Structures are given as structure tokens and as C-alpha cells.
Amino acid sequence: MSVRPELQAPPEIFYDEGEARKYTSSSRIVEIQGKLSERALELLALPDDGIPRLLLDIGCGSGLSGETLSESGHQWIGLDISRAMLSVALEREVEGDLLLADMGEGLSLRPGVVDGAISISAVQWLCNADKSSHEPRLRLKAFFGSLYRCLSRGARAVLQVYPENLDQRQLILSSAMRAGFAGGVVVDYPHSSKSRKEYLVLTCGPPSLSASTLPRGKGEDGEISDDDSSGDEETHVMCAANRQRPKKKQKLNTKVKGRDWLLRKKEQMRRKGNAVPPDTKYSGRKRKARF
């Protein structure tokens, strides 16, 4: 059984120069990346009007997924934490603009400039604490918050992920919902342990995605599935309809501090040697509403 890459080393260390070239030269990985990128672009549901869009490729690596965006006529910005991966992308002369950045520290892009975002097999890395200063919840919060801000109103983000378990998937999804996104998880080939793929489909702005309009996953025959009675608890769709967080209930302090309490406090202050005004019949008396 192969060990997940994110459990072996931080991404900037795991994807060194040797691993980056091995990854990019593998025909199997190139084919898989191409299929995943095409599916992510399909789920973005961009208008078919022939106008190029500015897209964001999060965890772009050596630019394999970015090539799919270029072939579709779009412009793109790719960011990755691995310097070796970006060096290979530059050697391959990809058409996108490349940024060396840690998505867990937030995306340094202007608000509302991106028309859509994709990510292939990258976001689950944020669920691991590779340094003592890393807190997965805070890093996911920084990532999704900055992603929400840089997307234009109504734009989508499609993030293909490999969550290690249900708790990890719930952590990623709940972090996206708290940032203001609406959407859910689309699962392709849900009953195949080898071909199963999960896509987090999010929309920015008003919650236009609901359980009825969320894209359908693909079935075992590769066609869009219309069967909702799969019985698989893991393939359920979670949606958020409201960005507003519930207000915390304030605790009401019903305990009234009267004259006895005031006299005790004054006596304590005297024992400590502090200068305290003498007690009078007015000490602790409640003032009238007006003079």
C-alpha cells in the first residue's frame, strides 16, 4: 500500500528537483492530470461565448493542468509552493504566469479579478501541520477567505481533492462554507475505489448553487449520473444558503452588586493598605434615574 505524499514530507521538500522531473515525465500522471483538469474546467461551467477568462490554478506544479486551460483559450495564473516544480514549468514554457507562494498563508491577489479557479490534488495538503507554527484550521481559513475575495461575483472554484477520511473532507468543506462559499462535493465513480474522484464545487457570492442545481457526478459508465438513490453516505451533497454566522448569545448577569458587596470590597482594600473613603449612609446607595 502506497503512502500518501502529504504524509511523507512538506510539499516544498517532497517535490524536489528529482521528484518534479519524475512527476512531469510520467505519461500516466500526465494523462490523469489532463483528465482531472478537463473535468474541473467542465464543472466551472464558464459561459460559452468565446471570451477568454482569467483563471487561477492553485497548486499548479509543473503546469500540466494549466495546459488544459491554455488549450481552452483561457489565460491563467498558477501558484505553487515548490520551487522545483515551478522551475520545470518554466523549462516547459507554459503560457501562464507563475507565482511561488504558500496557499496556506492566503492568496496575494487583488479582490474580484479572477473569473474562476481550479486545483488538482493540492488542497488536502493544508490538513497537515508540517511545522510547529502550522494550524490546519487557520491555514484553511486563510486560504478560503483569500480565495473568496479574489474571485469575481458569481464565479466558481472547483477543487479536486483526495481527503484522507470523512473528518478531513468535513474540515475542508466547513472551512469553505465559513468563508462565504456555497456549494458541495461532486463525486465521480462513487463505487470505484480506484477511479473515485471528489470535486469541491464552490460559488462566490449569492448562493446560486443548491442541492438541485449542483452538477451531477459521473457513474461507472463515465456518463453523468441521475441516480440519487446510491445509498452511499459519503456521496451526499452539503450546501450553504447563508453566509451570515449565527450571533452568539450574550450571557445576562442577573447578580446585583449591592451595599454589602461594596462594604466588603472596601474592607479588603483597607487591609491591603489602600486609601479608601469612609463608609457613610450613602455608600452603595442606588442613584435615582435623574437628579
Side-chain angles (χ1 to χ4, degrees):
M1 182 177 179
S2 61
V3 181
R4 297 169 64 94
E6 58 266 25
L7 299 180
Q8 299 183 42
E12 64 272 25
I13 297 177
F14 180 83
Y15 289 108
D16 55 11
E17 184 175 354
E19 187 66 27
R21 296 187 182 281
K22 177 183 176 183
Y23 186 94
T24 309
S25 60
S26 171
S27 59
R28 174 177 170 271
I29 291 179
V30 171
E31 181 183 1
I32 293 175
Q33 282 279 332
K35 291 180 178 179
L36 295 177
S37 304
E38 290 175 0
R39 178 60 171 153
L41 189 59
E42 176 186 349
L43 293 172
L44 274 183
L46 297 171
D48 189 14
D49 52 10
I51 300 177
R53 260 64 183 188
L54 177 62
L55 304 179
L56 181 63
D57 186 0
I58 303 164
C60 65
S62 56
L64 296 179
S65 52
E67 288 182 343
T68 301
L69 304 180
S70 297
E71 292 172 358
S72 300
H74 300 294
Q75 299 175 342
W76 58 279
I77 300 172
L79 64 92
D80 202 280
I81 195 174
S82 170
R83 190 181 298 273
M85 277 288 201
L86 294 179
S87 298
V88 174
L90 288 174
E91 292 178 6
R92 299 176 65 245
E93 298 181 349
V94 297
E95 298 181 13
D97 297 323
L98 304 177
L99 298 175
L100 178 64
D102 180 4
M103 60 180 171
E105 296 179 356
L107 310 177
S108 301
L109 297 173
R110 292 175 59 186
V113 299
V114 180
D115 300 315
I118 69 168
S119 177
I120 307 299
S121 311
V123 177
Q124 71 270 4
W125 285 83
L126 294 178
C127 297
N128 297 289
D130 297 320
K131 300 178 181 178
S132 59
S133 59
H134 284 182
E135 171 56 45
R137 292 184 183 276
L138 295 180
R139 286 171 60 78
L140 284 166
K141 178 181 178 181
F143 167 66
F144 282 112
S146 58
L147 177 61
Y148 188 94
R149 288 190 294 272
C150 74
L151 287 172
S152 59
R153 194 76 167 170
R156 277 188 183 181
V158 178
L159 315 176
Q160 188 271 324
V161 294
Y162 288 112
E164 187 176 4
N165 47 48
L166 284 176
D167 291 338
Q168 196 171 96
R169 181 216 272 176
Q170 180 62 29
L171 175 62
I172 297 173
L173 185 57
S174 60
S175 298
M177 298 299 133
R178 290 193 187 97
F181 285 104
V185 179
V186 175
V187 183
D188 287 349
Y189 314 107
H191 302 293
S192 172
S193 58
K194 188 175 182 180
S195 302
R196 178 189 175 98
K197 298 293 183 294
E198 297 188 12
Y199 300 84
L200 188 59
V201 182
L202 308 171
T203 185
C204 176
S208 59
L209 284 180
S210 64
S212 60
T213 60
L214 195 70
R216 300 287 185 179
K218 291 184 177 181
E220 303 307 317
D221 56 356
E223 300 296 329
I224 302 299
S225 175
D226 293 328
D227 183 15
D228 293 332
S229 58
S230 61
D232 186 0
E233 185 180 354
E234 295 186 2
T235 61
H236 68 282
V237 173
M238 297 184 62
C239 296
N242 192 353
R243 188 183 182 190
Q244 300 298 328
R245 302 179 186 177
K247 294 183 179 180
K248 294 182 179 179
K249 294 183 179 179
Q250 295 182 350
K251 295 182 179 179
L252 298 178
N253 187 8
T254 57
K255 187 176 180 181
V256 179
K257 298 176 181 178
R259 176 180 171 83
D260 294 339
W261 177 86
L262 179 62
L263 294 178
R264 287 197 304 271
K265 295 297 290 185
K266 292 176 71 173
E267 186 61 30
Q268 291 177 7
M269 298 295 287
R270 291 191 185 99
R271 287 198 295 265
K272 292 180 180 179
N274 296 325
V276 180
D279 299 336
T280 67
K281 65 178 181 179
Y282 301 106
S283 298
R285 179 181 290 184
K286 185 178 180 180
R287 293 193 179 194
K288 295 181 179 180
R290 64 184 215 176
F291 293 102

